[in-house]
Amino acid sequence: MTSPESSTTPQQKYAERTYRSPAALVGGVLLLLLGLWLGGDALLRGVAHTKLTAAFALLLGVPLVAAYTLRPLVKAGDDRLLVRNPFRTITLPWGAVEDLRASFTSEVFTADGKYQLWAVPVSLRQRKKVGKQAARGAAPRRFGPRVDAGPVPRAMADQTMDELREIKERAAHRESAKGAPVVRWAYGFIGPCVVGAVGLIVMLAV
């Protein structure tokens, strides 16, 4: 499930949309608090070997959890789609985007390949529930059993894909929306994970 946030700038004709997963954010914060509590206790009360092991475990665990829960984000602007995944940031001009799909995962396709949208998780359970509601005609109603049932319900990932496709269509013929994809690695997360993993292996082997 994702939560869209909107902001506008003078240069933009349409509102910029930002998508994140509330469940991932909450889960990430809880895991970080638990890890810091356990790791902090080991750092304060443990012997030298335990303290070093805890330090390397935190160095591995904290950025790893943050990368997979707090970092993922999708930002859709007038000219480009920014995809922030655990260890990469992909900037895609809308002209380079060929398709957007949500099957078992949410993905964006270009001529060079595809990229997963970690910030837009697909809930098969939610999709099945929404499908049953649509089949029963059980969309949210107002003031009566059959009065103005409203639009057919959609799972959050499918709704997000529809919104992104609409923004892409708006930019189809805009010169400023053309260009090649740019991929950047998140070394600020990768580096500490590698150091922590190596240090933890060494400490556990001693």
Side-chain angles (χ1 to χ4, degrees):
M1 196 159 94
T2 59
S3 61
E5 305 164 11
S6 298
S7 60
T8 57
T9 61
Q11 291 78 19
Q12 289 183 307
K13 185 177 179 181
Y14 302 103
E16 184 177 76
R17 291 179 176 269
T18 301
Y19 302 89
R20 308 189 78 158
S21 171
L25 293 174
V26 172
V29 170
L30 293 176
L31 285 174
L32 288 175
L33 290 175
L34 178 61
L36 291 174
W37 175 57
L38 295 174
D41 184 69
L43 287 173
L44 291 173
R45 303 185 183 186
V47 296
H49 184 276
T50 302
K51 289 182 178 181
L52 280 174
T53 302
F56 283 121
L58 287 173
L59 193 59
L60 168 64
V62 170
L64 195 63
V65 170
Y68 279 94
T69 60
L70 307 184
R71 176 175 159 78
L73 173 145
V74 169
K75 184 177 291 187
D78 268 358
D79 296 329
R80 56 190 46 82
L81 177 71
L82 184 142
V83 180
R84 200 168 72 190
N85 285 339
F87 297 111
R88 292 193 300 178
T89 298
I90 306 104
T91 303
L92 301 168
W94 284 116
V97 175
E98 296 185 346
D99 196 9
L100 291 142
R101 301 178 199 166
S103 52
F104 294 103
T105 60
S106 298
E107 297 169 330
V108 55
F109 291 79
T110 69
D112 298 326
K114 65 180 180 180
Y115 303 96
Q116 188 173 343
L117 308 182
W118 281 80
V120 187
V122 174
S123 172
L124 298 180
R125 181 179 179 183
Q126 182 190 48
R127 185 177 282 170
K128 184 177 180 181
K129 181 179 178 181
V130 168
K132 288 182 178 179
Q133 289 179 342
R136 293 196 306 262
R141 300 164 182 166
R142 305 185 189 96
F143 307 113
R146 293 284 177 184
V147 177
D148 192 13
V152 176
R154 300 274 284 165
M156 188 61 69
D158 297 323
Q159 182 179 328
T160 298
M161 290 295 105
D162 289 343
E163 292 176 1
L164 293 178
R165 291 189 194 100
E166 182 182 349
I167 297 173
K168 175 185 179 302
E169 289 174 2
R170 291 172 182 167
H173 305 293
R174 192 180 302 127
E175 191 67 29
S176 57
K178 296 180 180 180
V182 177
V183 179
R184 289 178 292 128
W185 290 95
Y187 293 108
F189 286 84
I190 297 173
C193 287
V194 171
V195 174
V198 172
L200 192 58
I201 291 171
V202 171
M203 295 308 299
L204 293 176
V206 174

